[in-house]
Amino acid sequence: DQQVKQNSPSLSVQEGRISILNCDYTNSMFDYFLWYKKYPAEGPTFLISISSIKDKNEDGRFTVFLNKSAKHLSLHIVPSQPGDSAVYFCAASSGSSASKIIFGSGTRLSIRP
Amino acid sequence: NAGVMQNPRHLVRRRGQEARLRCSPMKGHSHVYWYRQLPEEGLKFMVYLQKENIIDESGMPKERFSAEFPKEGPSILRIQQVVRGDSAAYFCASSPLAGGDSTEAFFGQGTRLTVV
């Protein structure tokens, strides 16, 4: 049973436009959400996170939106740059003291010139 | 401050051999997670450890796989009697705390295990 779902395995966006990556979760106990970026043959790199007490968190070109009622979050990248081409993983955890981080299956973002 | 260090980066084992994967967490981090990534798939949780304790091993296969995080030294993921299906990238991550606003886990470069 996938608790964190990324239904789009791939996404292609033109350079300069907005990239929107989506993620849904099923476990209502999750209260902390993260996005990671991964290049081939490298480990995932933390990008941005959001606590469930917020509905938006912004860091430069990256903004994460959280809709708790819909159990949905999204990552917006604007403007998209060629270096943004990577696999993006959505992840979630609960705030308890002993909680694993559950990852989605990833979305491969390609930025075309 | 060095990041999460995993070694070896690449490991080749014949079927039936043992594989030992090492992970040194970031300085000051006492929580370690192991994940497996099969080709063209996402990151699958395997095990979550704190120093000398296994907190959650719900993602670990019941047989042949074990993990430890001793008081001193790196965390070890051990796979006995490897089979071809064990071929994957194994990633270790560490974090200073569990829960709250500091739950970001930092990943190592991974160990790519190939079973021949």
Side-chain angles (χ1 to χ4, degrees):
Chain A
D1 177 33
Q2 267 191 299
Q3 297 185 63
V4 179
K5 300 177 184 179
Q6 292 177 259
N7 292 318
S8 298
S10 63
L11 177 67
S12 180
V13 174
Q14 191 167 19
E15 183 178 355
R17 301 286 188 125
I18 183 171
S19 295
I20 300 176
L21 295 97
N22 293 303
C23 178
D24 298 292
Y25 62 96
T26 57
N27 190 339
S28 57
M29 297 300 290
F30 288 148
D31 57 6
Y32 196 69
F33 305 91
L34 313 93
W35 284 94
Y36 283 81
K37 176 180 179 180
K38 186 181 182 303
Y39 293 118
E42 293 185 13
T45 303
F46 171 74
L47 203 54
I48 192 169
S49 63
I50 188 167
S51 165
S52 61
I53 62 173
K54 299 179 180 177
D55 54 19
K56 177 183 174 181
N57 188 25
E58 190 173 353
D59 183 2
R61 296 185 299 115
F62 302 92
T63 303
V64 56
F65 294 92
L66 175 63
N67 182 335
K68 285 192 296 290
S69 60
K71 293 193 176 70
H72 177 84
L73 64 154
S74 60
L75 174 68
H76 293 211
I77 307 173
V78 56
S80 300
Q81 299 175 354
D84 296 331
S85 295
V87 176
Y88 289 79
F89 290 100
C90 171
S93 70
S94 71
S96 67
S97 60
S99 175
K100 60 198 176 197
I101 302 173
I102 302 296
F103 283 80
S105 54
T107 296
R108 184 178 302 276
L109 175 65
S110 300
I111 306 300
R112 59 182 189 273
Chain B
N1 187 13
V4 178
M5 304 299 292
Q6 288 189 250
N7 68 82
R9 288 292 307 275
H10 301 274
L11 182 61
V12 179
R13 283 288 176 266
R14 294 186 186 279
R15 279 179 295 171
Q17 291 184 318
E18 178 180 285
R20 279 186 180 237
L21 289 65
R22 294 174 185 77
C23 170
S24 295
M26 288 180 70
K27 188 176 180 180
H29 286 194
S30 58
H31 298 256
V32 165
Y33 309 81
W34 284 94
Y35 291 84
R36 176 166 63 176
Q37 185 179 27
L38 295 169
E40 305 303 320
E41 292 190 13
L43 294 161
K44 299 294 186 186
F45 169 79
M46 297 183 75
V47 62
Y48 164 34
L49 310 105
Q50 294 178 25
K51 286 281 187 183
E52 299 184 278
N53 283 309
I54 296 175
I55 305 302
D56 185 338
E57 56 181 348
S58 58
M60 195 106 92
K62 294 288 185 284
E63 297 178 351
R64 302 189 297 110
F65 285 72
S66 62
E68 62 176 7
F69 188 17
K71 187 177 180 181
E72 302 290 339
S75 175
I76 306 286
L77 179 66
R78 183 181 177 207
I79 311 172
Q80 295 179 292
Q81 298 175 319
V82 295
V83 301
R84 288 237 171 94
D86 296 333
S87 296
Y90 292 82
F91 291 97
C92 168
S94 73
S95 70
L97 297 168
D101 288 344
S102 298
T103 326
E104 292 88 36
F106 297 87
F107 280 82
Q109 299 272 48
T111 293
R112 273 147 192 84
L113 172 66
T114 302
V115 180
V116 297

